[in-house]
Amino acid sequence: MAFISNKKIPFKINANLRGYLENYNREVSLPIDYSNLLRYDNAIPLYDKNGNDTLWETVFYPPSEIEEVYHALKTIYADLKADGDLSVMKHLYVDRVDLCSYGNSKPFRVRIVNKVNDNFDYFYIKNADASRIYGLELEHILSPNRISYLTSDDTLVEEHIAGVPGDMFIKNYLHQPNLNIIRFCKEFVKFNERCFVRLLGDMHSSNFVVDITPDFEEIYYRIRSIDFDQQSYEGKKAVYLPQYFKQNNAIIELGIKYLTFESVVQYQKEERSLIAGRIRVEGKRVQDLMKIMVEDPISPPRNVEQLKQELAQHYKNNNFLKCRSMGEVVMKSLELVSLH
């Protein structure tokens, strides 16, 4: 089983990564940063509709500051969703600001509501971490999902990724009679492969969501990562394979029961082929990112040493042993996909 024993160390965004973010329109000037949001003067626990503690707190700002803070948050939402078009703000209001104090990045979650139709959306404001930035970029480039996020100095703004949380899906959906088991298990195999190829770790059921899309004949599923803190940090190979987390065991058991070995290999090859195609299309961007990542010390040397040894053994490829950094390990993994 995969497990992570120590809390990950956050890494600063260096000058080269900052230049990359500016070049690809991720770096903007925001009207408020993460540290400003810490100036709240009161907080209460947030409970879900069933009265369960969500482990989030709703925070409140002093009356003298609340109008300025909420206007800044609406402006950030316009930057994130409408390329800074402030005309979208006139129908919006900030309904709530929540804080998750136990997470690595201690995120703020902002609930934005359209007062015309009561439709709502969320976005998150966090302490920026280089590992997470690399994770978001690799997700945007190599997965079937597009990611909207912005940085501003040491502040990171992320869109909300909609879907049924993995742990809730396992509890409430996994054994429903209308579940298309084969399709869902196939998607988990492909998700497992995506995480392993780009070395995104810690994908237990609380760190991904399931996007359910009804079609005219069938239901389609897509599993999406929602936590990118553990991008190529740990040394254990198993951390990068969702199949080894005990929280995902119920899905694995279904896969063992309903999928053949040949089918699993086919789905793995399909996903690697899709990743290779995305690398070809986004070749310049991948090259720009990797050039920075290979020089960025985003993992302790002992983790780099352990992972390159385990991957060399897994792939029977000693080229991994020549890697000097975690970025080089990721690049070598992507090169293997491109060669097949």
Side-chain angles (χ1 to χ4, degrees):
M1 288 298 170
F3 68 96
I4 297 172
S5 56
N6 298 314
K7 190 173 182 179
K8 181 189 154 296
I9 303 167
F11 296 94
K12 289 282 188 180
I13 297 174
N14 65 27
N16 291 330
L17 181 54
R18 185 78 63 192
Y20 173 94
L21 294 168
E22 291 171 353
N23 188 45
Y24 287 97
N25 301 316
R26 298 295 198 181
E27 179 78 9
V28 298
S29 178
L30 297 177
I32 194 170
D33 61 23
Y34 178 88
S35 62
N36 295 141
L37 293 179
L38 294 171
R39 299 202 311 258
Y40 61 90
D41 63 358
N42 200 4
I44 59 172
L46 178 65
Y47 297 93
D48 66 18
K49 61 183 179 181
N50 297 317
N52 301 312
D53 192 345
T54 63
L55 303 182
W56 289 76
E57 295 179 314
T58 298
V59 301
F60 302 93
Y61 294 92
S64 60
E65 298 182 19
I66 191 167
E67 184 175 348
E68 177 186 352
V69 171
Y70 281 12
H71 184 271
L73 292 175
K74 289 196 295 181
T75 302
I76 290 174
Y77 185 76
D79 286 332
L80 186 66
K81 293 292 188 176
D83 199 26
D85 183 357
L86 299 181
S87 66
V88 304
M89 292 173 51
K90 59 185 178 181
H91 300 308
L92 304 178
Y93 68 91
V94 176
D95 181 52
R96 204 175 66 223
V97 179
D98 305 321
L99 171 65
C100 179
S101 58
Y102 70 88
N104 278 349
S105 54
K106 294 183 171 54
F108 284 94
R109 180 178 61 195
V110 183
R111 177 176 159 120
I112 293 280
V113 179
N114 186 321
K115 59 187 175 185
V116 175
N117 55 22
D118 292 330
N119 191 37
F120 62 87
D121 195 7
Y122 297 96
F123 68 93
Y124 301 83
I125 300 179
K126 309 175 180 182
N127 272 317
D129 170 31
S131 297
R132 191 174 185 91
I133 300 298
Y134 289 122
L136 288 164
E137 272 300 301
L138 288 170
E139 179 76 2
H140 182 78
I141 298 169
L142 302 180
S143 84
N145 313 304
R146 302 281 69 81
I147 297 289
S148 180
Y149 75 92
L150 301 170
T151 59
S152 180
D153 294 329
D154 294 327
T155 297
L156 170 65
V157 179
E158 289 181 37
E159 68 174 349
H160 175 67
I161 298 175
V164 180
D167 49 359
M168 187 184 298
F169 186 91
I170 290 172
K171 180 180 179 181
N172 298 328
Y173 291 78
L174 198 61
H175 300 291
Q176 286 189 357
N178 64 338
L179 176 75
N180 189 317
I181 296 175
I182 302 298
R183 284 186 181 273
F184 178 71
C185 290
K186 173 184 178 179
E187 171 56 22
F188 188 84
V189 171
K190 292 165 77 70
F191 173 69
N192 191 75
E193 201 66 15
R194 284 199 297 274
C195 293
F196 188 50
V197 166
R198 45 77 63 92
L199 297 178
L200 176 63
D202 200 24
M203 282 300 108
H204 56 77
S205 58
S206 296
N207 284 343
F208 62 78
V209 296
V210 182
D211 184 5
I212 305 171
T213 305
D215 196 13
F216 70 98
E217 274 191 328
E218 271 298 348
I219 295 176
Y220 288 84
Y221 307 92
R222 177 171 294 172
I223 300 177
R224 297 192 60 178
S225 309
I226 58 172
D227 192 330
F228 301 92
D229 285 337
Q230 289 284 347
Q231 171 61 51
S232 52
Y233 176 80
E234 291 287 334
K236 296 184 285 289
K237 179 190 75 173
V239 169
Y240 303 104
L241 287 157
Q243 70 190 70
Y244 288 125
F245 284 91
K246 64 181 181 180
Q247 296 93 330
N248 303 336
N249 278 353
I251 300 174
I252 303 306
E253 289 166 5
L254 276 183
I256 291 172
K257 183 175 181 180
Y258 288 96
L259 296 183
T260 64
F261 173 77
E262 292 78 12
S263 295
V264 170
V265 172
Q266 175 196 332
Y267 301 151
Q268 289 172 329
K269 289 181 177 179
E270 285 179 9
E271 191 59 32
R272 284 179 171 261
S273 178
L274 290 170
I275 293 172
R278 295 180 191 117
I279 292 174
R280 286 192 296 271
V281 171
E282 294 280 6
K284 175 64 165 57
R285 188 164 183 162
V286 174
Q287 187 178 41
D288 289 348
L289 186 66
M290 287 296 103
K291 190 183 298 184
I292 297 163
M293 194 176 183
V294 297
E295 300 297 336
D296 202 348
I298 53 171
S299 182
R302 65 180 182 278
N303 288 1
V304 177
E305 186 63 31
Q306 180 181 358
L307 185 60
K308 71 183 190 181
Q309 294 280 348
E310 292 194 15
L311 290 181
Q313 184 177 5
H314 174 86
Y315 287 111
K316 296 179 175 56
N317 187 325
N318 287 336
N319 286 330
F320 279 98
L321 302 179
K322 302 174 185 177
C323 295
R324 300 172 292 109
S325 68
M326 198 58 90
E328 286 194 358
V329 176
V330 174
M331 187 166 69
K332 187 60 63 180
S333 180
L334 297 183
E335 286 175 357
L336 285 184
V337 171
S338 299
L339 290 173
H340 288 81

